[in-house]
Amino acid sequence: MNEITAGELFAKNDALENEAASLLGHMIFEFSRLDMNLGLCLVWVDSGARVESLTKTVETQNLKIKLDELTKHVIAKLRLGSKQRSAYENWIERVNSVRQQRNNLVHGRWGVEAHKNKVINVIGLPTSSAQQVIEYTLDELAEVNEELRDLQRELGRLREHWPL
């Protein structure tokens, strides 16, 4: 069996870290686009009748509050059990999931395990019993970005077919 040298391990570690950093950077771009598009969805409720006042309100909200606002509009405007309401509710649930994952990714500490070909995200203080260690492959990080792009496309379809 071929043993990897310290220099090769260092180079592999560096390459893995660079690729992970690139994927995480793209995730931040994708997430900010999703956040902005959700904000536009909210300010254009009722065909933009209150676009100016809603812009002032929505631009100060984080994604969680925006999702809560969207949920209120969905409940108020779409019939329970309808295809439209189910589609919006499913989208909101998916965004909430990726939002929580994004928070862990952004607020955690990062490292790489080159010999395992894994990127490590550590959430919480080392002194905490609640500290979590989550391992990702590069493909799994890329899947987060694809989910963010999917969510943006889906929001566009929802707004086009069933504006609120």
Side-chain angles (χ1 to χ4, degrees), residues 51-69:
V51 72
E52 287 182 34
S53 64
L54 286 175
T55 295
K56 291 175 184 169
T57 301
V58 170
E59 69 187 353
T60 63
Q61 296 173 334
N62 65 32
L63 188 69
K64 172 71 171 103
I65 295 170
K66 288 175 187 167
L67 288 171
D68 292 344
E69 287 299 311

Side-chain angles (χ1 to χ4, degrees), residues 5 47 56 58 92 99 109 118 121 144 152 154 164:
T5 68
S47 300
K56 291 175 184 169
V58 170
I92 291 166
R99 178 188 63 80
R109 301 183 305 284
K118 297 277 184 158
N121 181 236
V144 174
Q152 288 180 72
E154 182 64 19
L164 297 173

Side-chain angles (χ1 to χ4, degrees), residues 32-47:
S32 66
R33 288 181 189 117
L34 180 64
D35 186 41
M36 189 257 321
N37 285 324
L38 174 56
L40 289 173
C41 176
L42 291 171
V43 300
W44 284 99
V45 164
D46 296 325
S47 300

Side-chain angles (χ1 to χ4, degrees), residues 3-163:
E3 298 241 353
I4 191 165
T5 68
E8 291 169 329
L9 186 60
F10 180 77
K12 186 175 179 180
N13 191 66
D14 197 42
L16 184 59
E17 186 174 291
N18 285 336
E19 183 62 25
S22 176
L23 288 166
L24 290 165
H26 285 281
M27 183 261 308
I28 291 169
F29 276 78
E30 296 299 340
F31 191 83
S32 66
R33 288 181 189 117
L34 180 64
D35 186 41
M36 189 257 321
N37 285 324
L38 174 56
L40 289 173
C41 176
L42 291 171
V43 300
W44 284 99
V45 164
D46 296 325
S47 300
R50 298 178 300 144
V51 72
E52 287 182 34
S53 64
L54 286 175
T55 295
K56 291 175 184 169
T57 301
V58 170
E59 69 187 353
T60 63
Q61 296 173 334
N62 65 32
L63 188 69
K64 172 71 171 103
I65 295 170
K66 288 175 187 167
L67 288 171
D68 292 344
E69 287 299 311
L70 181 61
T71 298
K72 290 176 190 174
H73 290 294
V74 167
I75 290 169
K77 296 174 182 294
L78 301 174
R79 185 177 45 80
L80 183 63
S82 68
K83 180 179 177 182
Q84 297 90 336
R85 184 163 168 174
S86 294
Y88 270 101
E89 289 172 339
N90 181 47
W91 185 86
I92 291 166
E93 185 177 312
R94 286 175 58 204
V95 174
N96 256 320
S97 178
V98 79
R99 178 188 63 80
Q100 291 166 352
Q101 185 175 31
R102 175 252 174 222
N103 287 346
N104 289 343
L105 294 172
V106 169
H107 298 295
R109 301 183 305 284
W110 286 94
V112 295
E113 294 270 349
H115 63 281
K116 292 170 62 176
N117 209 33
K118 297 277 184 158
V119 182
I120 311 299
N121 181 236
V122 182
I123 302 149
L125 289 173
T127 55
S128 171
S129 62
Q131 178 178 273
Q132 294 178 294
V133 177
I134 304 167
E135 297 182 353
Y136 293 92
T137 64
L138 293 175
D139 287 342
E140 288 169 333
L141 290 177
E143 287 171 12
V144 174
N145 291 336
E146 187 54 41
E147 173 70 352
L148 287 165
R149 286 187 288 274
D150 262 3
L151 287 165
Q152 288 180 72
R153 287 188 292 269
E154 182 64 19
L155 179 59
R157 286 190 290 272
L158 291 170
R159 291 182 67 199
E160 180 181 334
H161 295 302
W162 304 306

